[in-house]
Amino acid sequence: MKQNLDYKLIFALATVGVVWGTTFLGIRVAVETIPPWFVTSIRQGLAGLMIMTVLLFKKELKWIGWENLKHQLVPSVLMIVIANGFTTVAEQTLPSGLASVISAMSPILIFIGSILFGLQKASLKGFVGVIIGFSGVVFIFKEGLGSFLDADYKIGVLFMGLAILAWAAGTIYTKTHAYKSGNIALNLFYQFTMASCIQLVLAFIFSPNPDISLWSSRSIFASLYLSVFGSVIAFLCYNYALKRVTAVQVSILSYINTIIAVFLGWLILDEKITVDFIIATVLIILGVFIINYKKKENHIK
């Protein structure tokens, strides 16, 4: 039997793959002159306002109840406050390409987590994919061993590590609680609003006296791009996709993100691409591909 293509799903997945690939460049440009927690707070705050406007227009803005609010708070803190926030902080000191390569490890963490929580079965193929993917990380650190002694570089890598752990946990949580999600846009409005408030508090803690006059138009434009495309459009597509395919399948978009981010970092920001860096990227992408590759099944009986 031939299955009909779900064009909405294909569009959603393609949007996430391309848009989140460009956000690594956007973050790197935004933090050039704007403190990272202000970038994230502005990004999520504007995203929340945009979704609220749409919900008001459609007369769908309403209270979701304390139980559902609790379910929205968990991915809000894990995926937006921690994962998105820590990635933004990390890119103050890490090249956007390197940040994206590290983030490409998230599908491997999601695969391991999915096995632990019974969403996926363990397999030899999956184990091989994990080993190959982690070997890619060795090349990242091989390339950066000299720089790793630099405190800023070390902190950046640490923040990226925490970011992908939080993203994996948030994705698995969202998948296991997908049945509780009714209106995706309404749930995201609460997620963005809560995240923005938390990040604004963090912004004033870590940058108590921000000088807005130093914020360049280039950084402000990058923050607006992150808000409209990186948050509103991509998150709507990501959550739509999560309700229709497995968490691991959605997470493989990370390698599309990585290719786009590395290319844009090289093209626009003159970031260096070394042989070790290319090997690391290929190994991580190969590991993710092996984990997710499935032979086409023959449905003719």
PDB file of all heavy atoms in Angstrom, residues 8-32:
ATOM      1  N   LYS A   8       2.126  18.904   4.832  1.00  0.00           N
ATOM      2  CA  LYS A   8       2.261  19.822   5.976  1.00  0.00           C
ATOM      3  C   LYS A   8       3.435  19.396   6.851  1.00  0.00           C
ATOM      4  O   LYS A   8       4.219  20.226   7.316  1.00  0.00           O
ATOM      5  CB  LYS A   8       0.970  19.840   6.811  1.00  0.00           C
ATOM      6  CG  LYS A   8      -0.153  20.665   6.214  1.00  0.00           C
ATOM      7  CD  LYS A   8      -1.308  20.725   7.193  1.00  0.00           C
ATOM      8  CE  LYS A   8      -2.459  21.576   6.636  1.00  0.00           C
ATOM      9  NZ  LYS A   8      -3.602  21.586   7.571  1.00  0.00           N
ATOM     10  N   LEU A   9       3.548  18.083   7.059  1.00  0.00           N
ATOM     11  CA  LEU A   9       4.639  17.557   7.876  1.00  0.00           C
ATOM     12  C   LEU A   9       5.982  17.800   7.190  1.00  0.00           C
ATOM     13  O   LEU A   9       6.952  18.222   7.830  1.00  0.00           O
ATOM     14  CB  LEU A   9       4.444  16.062   8.142  1.00  0.00           C
ATOM     15  CG  LEU A   9       5.554  15.361   8.933  1.00  0.00           C
ATOM     16  CD1 LEU A   9       5.712  15.974  10.318  1.00  0.00           C
ATOM     17  CD2 LEU A   9       5.268  13.864   9.040  1.00  0.00           C
ATOM     18  N   ILE A  10       6.046  17.542   5.885  1.00  0.00           N
ATOM     19  CA  ILE A  10       7.287  17.762   5.129  1.00  0.00           C
ATOM     20  C   ILE A  10       7.698  19.233   5.193  1.00  0.00           C
ATOM     21  O   ILE A  10       8.865  19.563   5.411  1.00  0.00           O
ATOM     22  CB  ILE A  10       7.116  17.317   3.654  1.00  0.00           C
ATOM     23  CG1 ILE A  10       6.967  15.787   3.582  1.00  0.00           C
ATOM     24  CG2 ILE A  10       8.312  17.759   2.805  1.00  0.00           C
ATOM     25  CD1 ILE A  10       6.507  15.273   2.248  1.00  0.00           C
ATOM     26  N   PHE A  11       6.717  20.131   5.028  1.00  0.00           N
ATOM     27  CA  PHE A  11       6.994  21.572   5.101  1.00  0.00           C
ATOM     28  C   PHE A  11       7.487  21.960   6.494  1.00  0.00           C
ATOM     29  O   PHE A  11       8.450  22.733   6.634  1.00  0.00           O
ATOM     30  CB  PHE A  11       5.739  22.373   4.753  1.00  0.00           C
ATOM     31  CG  PHE A  11       5.908  23.866   4.903  1.00  0.00           C
ATOM     32  CD1 PHE A  11       6.584  24.606   3.937  1.00  0.00           C
ATOM     33  CD2 PHE A  11       5.422  24.532   6.027  1.00  0.00           C
ATOM     34  CE1 PHE A  11       6.756  25.976   4.078  1.00  0.00           C
ATOM     35  CE2 PHE A  11       5.591  25.900   6.180  1.00  0.00           C
ATOM     36  CZ  PHE A  11       6.259  26.621   5.194  1.00  0.00           C
ATOM     37  N   ALA A  12       6.842  21.402   7.528  1.00  0.00           N
ATOM     38  CA  ALA A  12       7.228  21.704   8.914  1.00  0.00           C
ATOM     39  C   ALA A  12       8.659  21.255   9.185  1.00  0.00           C
ATOM     40  O   ALA A  12       9.465  22.003   9.759  1.00  0.00           O
ATOM     41  CB  ALA A  12       6.267  21.022   9.890  1.00  0.00           C
ATOM     42  N   LEU A  13       8.995  20.030   8.763  1.00  0.00           N
ATOM     43  CA  LEU A  13      10.340  19.502   8.982  1.00  0.00           C
ATOM     44  C   LEU A  13      11.395  20.300   8.211  1.00  0.00           C
ATOM     45  O   LEU A  13      12.464  20.613   8.745  1.00  0.00           O
ATOM     46  CB  LEU A  13      10.400  18.031   8.558  1.00  0.00           C
ATOM     47  CG  LEU A  13       9.616  17.039   9.435  1.00  0.00           C
ATOM     48  CD1 LEU A  13       9.537  15.681   8.765  1.00  0.00           C
ATOM     49  CD2 LEU A  13      10.230  16.920  10.821  1.00  0.00           C
ATOM     50  N   ALA A  14      11.074  20.658   6.957  1.00  0.00           N
ATOM     51  CA  ALA A  14      12.011  21.434   6.145  1.00  0.00           C
ATOM     52  C   ALA A  14      12.249  22.815   6.749  1.00  0.00           C
ATOM     53  O   ALA A  14      13.385  23.310   6.787  1.00  0.00           O
ATOM     54  CB  ALA A  14      11.468  21.578   4.718  1.00  0.00           C
ATOM     55  N   THR A  15      11.184  23.419   7.257  1.00  0.00           N
ATOM     56  CA  THR A  15      11.290  24.751   7.882  1.00  0.00           C
ATOM     57  C   THR A  15      12.190  24.705   9.102  1.00  0.00           C
ATOM     58  O   THR A  15      13.080  25.549   9.270  1.00  0.00           O
ATOM     59  CB  THR A  15       9.890  25.277   8.280  1.00  0.00           C
ATOM     60  OG1 THR A  15       9.081  25.364   7.111  1.00  0.00           O
ATOM     61  CG2 THR A  15       9.993  26.654   8.924  1.00  0.00           C
ATOM     62  N   VAL A  16      11.982  23.697   9.955  1.00  0.00           N
ATOM     63  CA  VAL A  16      12.826  23.553  11.155  1.00  0.00           C
ATOM     64  C   VAL A  16      14.284  23.349  10.763  1.00  0.00           C
ATOM     65  O   VAL A  16      15.188  23.987  11.310  1.00  0.00           O
ATOM     66  CB  VAL A  16      12.335  22.373  12.025  1.00  0.00           C
ATOM     67  CG1 VAL A  16      13.313  22.111  13.172  1.00  0.00           C
ATOM     68  CG2 VAL A  16      10.956  22.664  12.587  1.00  0.00           C
ATOM     69  N   GLY A  17      14.516  22.472   9.781  1.00  0.00           N
ATOM     70  CA  GLY A  17      15.887  22.175   9.354  1.00  0.00           C
ATOM     71  C   GLY A  17      16.628  23.388   8.849  1.00  0.00           C
ATOM     72  O   GLY A  17      17.778  23.641   9.225  1.00  0.00           O
ATOM     73  N   VAL A  18      15.966  24.182   8.013  1.00  0.00           N
ATOM     74  CA  VAL A  18      16.618  25.356   7.414  1.00  0.00           C
ATOM     75  C   VAL A  18      16.708  26.517   8.397  1.00  0.00           C
ATOM     76  O   VAL A  18      17.783  27.095   8.605  1.00  0.00           O
ATOM     77  CB  VAL A  18      15.866  25.797   6.129  1.00  0.00           C
ATOM     78  CG1 VAL A  18      16.455  27.098   5.591  1.00  0.00           C
ATOM     79  CG2 VAL A  18      15.950  24.710   5.070  1.00  0.00           C
ATOM     80  N   VAL A  19      15.580  26.858   9.022  1.00  0.00           N
ATOM     81  CA  VAL A  19      15.532  28.048   9.899  1.00  0.00           C
ATOM     82  C   VAL A  19      16.470  27.907  11.091  1.00  0.00           C
ATOM     83  O   VAL A  19      17.247  28.822  11.394  1.00  0.00           O
ATOM     84  CB  VAL A  19      14.092  28.340  10.367  1.00  0.00           C
ATOM     85  CG1 VAL A  19      14.093  29.424  11.448  1.00  0.00           C
ATOM     86  CG2 VAL A  19      13.235  28.789   9.186  1.00  0.00           C
ATOM     87  N   TRP A  20      16.426  26.752  11.774  1.00  0.00           N
ATOM     88  CA  TRP A  20      17.305  26.606  12.938  1.00  0.00           C
ATOM     89  C   TRP A  20      18.775  26.502  12.539  1.00  0.00           C
ATOM     90  O   TRP A  20      19.654  26.735  13.354  1.00  0.00           O
ATOM     91  CB  TRP A  20      16.853  25.434  13.808  1.00  0.00           C
ATOM     92  CG  TRP A  20      15.782  25.879  14.780  1.00  0.00           C
ATOM     93  CD1 TRP A  20      15.460  27.169  15.096  1.00  0.00           C
ATOM     94  CD2 TRP A  20      14.902  25.055  15.536  1.00  0.00           C
ATOM     95  NE1 TRP A  20      14.433  27.197  15.994  1.00  0.00           N
ATOM     96  CE2 TRP A  20      14.061  25.908  16.296  1.00  0.00           C
ATOM     97  CE3 TRP A  20      14.725  23.689  15.649  1.00  0.00           C
ATOM     98  CZ2 TRP A  20      13.070  25.438  17.155  1.00  0.00           C
ATOM     99  CZ3 TRP A  20      13.740  23.209  16.495  1.00  0.00           C
ATOM    100  CH2 TRP A  20      12.932  24.067  17.246  1.00  0.00           C
ATOM    101  N   GLY A  21      19.032  26.186  11.270  1.00  0.00           N
ATOM    102  CA  GLY A  21      20.411  26.243  10.784  1.00  0.00           C
ATOM    103  C   GLY A  21      20.924  27.666  10.713  1.00  0.00           C
ATOM    104  O   GLY A  21      22.103  27.940  10.973  1.00  0.00           O
ATOM    105  N   THR A  22      20.027  28.606  10.386  1.00  0.00           N
ATOM    106  CA  THR A  22      20.424  30.020  10.280  1.00  0.00           C
ATOM    107  C   THR A  22      20.487  30.710  11.637  1.00  0.00           C
ATOM    108  O   THR A  22      21.124  31.756  11.767  1.00  0.00           O
ATOM    109  CB  THR A  22      19.438  30.805   9.386  1.00  0.00           C
ATOM    110  OG1 THR A  22      18.145  30.812  10.007  1.00  0.00           O
ATOM    111  CG2 THR A  22      19.322  30.185   8.007  1.00  0.00           C
ATOM    112  N   THR A  23      19.828  30.136  12.655  1.00  0.00           N
ATOM    113  CA  THR A  23      19.783  30.828  13.953  1.00  0.00           C
ATOM    114  C   THR A  23      21.134  30.860  14.663  1.00  0.00           C
ATOM    115  O   THR A  23      21.383  31.760  15.465  1.00  0.00           O
ATOM    116  CB  THR A  23      18.733  30.198  14.902  1.00  0.00           C
ATOM    117  OG1 THR A  23      18.997  28.801  15.041  1.00  0.00           O
ATOM    118  CG2 THR A  23      17.327  30.411  14.381  1.00  0.00           C
ATOM    119  N   PHE A  24      22.018  29.891  14.377  1.00  0.00           N
ATOM    120  CA  PHE A  24      23.348  29.924  15.006  1.00  0.00           C
ATOM    121  C   PHE A  24      24.105  31.176  14.562  1.00  0.00           C
ATOM    122  O   PHE A  24      24.774  31.823  15.366  1.00  0.00           O
ATOM    123  CB  PHE A  24      24.143  28.656  14.662  1.00  0.00           C
ATOM    124  CG  PHE A  24      23.638  27.435  15.361  1.00  0.00           C
ATOM    125  CD1 PHE A  24      22.758  26.571  14.727  1.00  0.00           C
ATOM    126  CD2 PHE A  24      24.022  27.158  16.666  1.00  0.00           C
ATOM    127  CE1 PHE A  24      22.272  25.441  15.371  1.00  0.00           C
ATOM    128  CE2 PHE A  24      23.555  26.029  17.325  1.00  0.00           C
ATOM    129  CZ  PHE A  24      22.664  25.181  16.675  1.00  0.00           C
ATOM    130  N   LEU A  25      23.976  31.514  13.279  1.00  0.00           N
ATOM    131  CA  LEU A  25      24.564  32.747  12.769  1.00  0.00           C
ATOM    132  C   LEU A  25      23.865  33.951  13.400  1.00  0.00           C
ATOM    133  O   LEU A  25      24.518  34.908  13.835  1.00  0.00           O
ATOM    134  CB  LEU A  25      24.428  32.806  11.243  1.00  0.00           C
ATOM    135  CG  LEU A  25      24.853  34.122  10.574  1.00  0.00           C
ATOM    136  CD1 LEU A  25      26.355  34.333  10.702  1.00  0.00           C
ATOM    137  CD2 LEU A  25      24.439  34.137   9.103  1.00  0.00           C
ATOM    138  N   GLY A  26      22.528  33.902  13.470  1.00  0.00           N
ATOM    139  CA  GLY A  26      21.762  35.006  14.050  1.00  0.00           C
ATOM    140  C   GLY A  26      22.151  35.286  15.491  1.00  0.00           C
ATOM    141  O   GLY A  26      22.318  36.442  15.888  1.00  0.00           O
ATOM    142  N   ILE A  27      22.324  34.227  16.277  1.00  0.00           N
ATOM    143  CA  ILE A  27      22.717  34.385  17.683  1.00  0.00           C
ATOM    144  C   ILE A  27      24.103  35.016  17.783  1.00  0.00           C
ATOM    145  O   ILE A  27      24.326  35.933  18.573  1.00  0.00           O
ATOM    146  CB  ILE A  27      22.688  33.013  18.413  1.00  0.00           C
ATOM    147  CG1 ILE A  27      21.247  32.531  18.571  1.00  0.00           C
ATOM    148  CG2 ILE A  27      23.370  33.110  19.781  1.00  0.00           C
ATOM    149  CD1 ILE A  27      21.131  31.084  19.032  1.00  0.00           C
ATOM    150  N   ARG A  28      25.026  34.503  16.966  1.00  0.00           N
ATOM    151  CA  ARG A  28      26.404  35.015  16.986  1.00  0.00           C
ATOM    152  C   ARG A  28      26.434  36.511  16.680  1.00  0.00           C
ATOM    153  O   ARG A  28      27.175  37.270  17.320  1.00  0.00           O
ATOM    154  CB  ARG A  28      27.239  34.241  15.960  1.00  0.00           C
ATOM    155  CG  ARG A  28      28.714  34.613  15.922  1.00  0.00           C
ATOM    156  CD  ARG A  28      29.456  34.171  17.154  1.00  0.00           C
ATOM    157  NE  ARG A  28      30.874  34.470  17.063  1.00  0.00           N
ATOM    158  CZ  ARG A  28      31.724  34.381  18.064  1.00  0.00           C
ATOM    159  NH1 ARG A  28      31.317  34.013  19.264  1.00  0.00           N
ATOM    160  NH2 ARG A  28      32.994  34.673  17.902  1.00  0.00           N
ATOM    161  N   VAL A  29      25.614  36.952  15.724  1.00  0.00           N
ATOM    162  CA  VAL A  29      25.547  38.377  15.360  1.00  0.00           C
ATOM    163  C   VAL A  29      24.855  39.175  16.465  1.00  0.00           C
ATOM    164  O   VAL A  29      25.285  40.270  16.818  1.00  0.00           O
ATOM    165  CB  VAL A  29      24.808  38.560  14.007  1.00  0.00           C
ATOM    166  CG1 VAL A  29      24.572  40.038  13.719  1.00  0.00           C
ATOM    167  CG2 VAL A  29      25.603  37.923  12.878  1.00  0.00           C
ATOM    168  N   ALA A  30      23.783  38.614  17.038  1.00  0.00           N
ATOM    169  CA  ALA A  30      23.025  39.323  18.082  1.00  0.00           C
ATOM    170  C   ALA A  30      23.869  39.601  19.324  1.00  0.00           C
ATOM    171  O   ALA A  30      23.797  40.689  19.904  1.00  0.00           O
ATOM    172  CB  ALA A  30      21.785  38.514  18.458  1.00  0.00           C
ATOM    173  N   VAL A  31      24.697  38.615  19.740  1.00  0.00           N
ATOM    174  CA  VAL A  31      25.488  38.794  20.971  1.00  0.00           C
ATOM    175  C   VAL A  31      26.752  39.623  20.754  1.00  0.00           C
ATOM    176  O   VAL A  31      27.512  39.844  21.700  1.00  0.00           O
ATOM    177  CB  VAL A  31      25.853  37.433  21.621  1.00  0.00           C
ATOM    178  CG1 VAL A  31      24.609  36.684  22.056  1.00  0.00           C
ATOM    179  CG2 VAL A  31      26.716  36.574  20.692  1.00  0.00           C
ATOM    180  N   GLU A  32      26.977  40.096  19.532  1.00  0.00           N
ATOM    181  CA  GLU A  32      28.123  40.979  19.285  1.00  0.00           C
ATOM    182  C   GLU A  32      28.019  42.237  20.140  1.00  0.00           C
ATOM    183  O   GLU A  32      29.028  42.727  20.670  1.00  0.00           O
ATOM    184  CB  GLU A  32      28.184  41.371  17.801  1.00  0.00           C
ATOM    185  CG  GLU A  32      28.710  40.279  16.886  1.00  0.00           C
ATOM    186  CD  GLU A  32      28.645  40.665  15.411  1.00  0.00           C
ATOM    187  OE1 GLU A  32      28.033  41.706  15.074  1.00  0.00           O
ATOM    188  OE2 GLU A  32      29.212  39.928  14.590  1.00  0.00           O
TER     189      GLU A  32
END
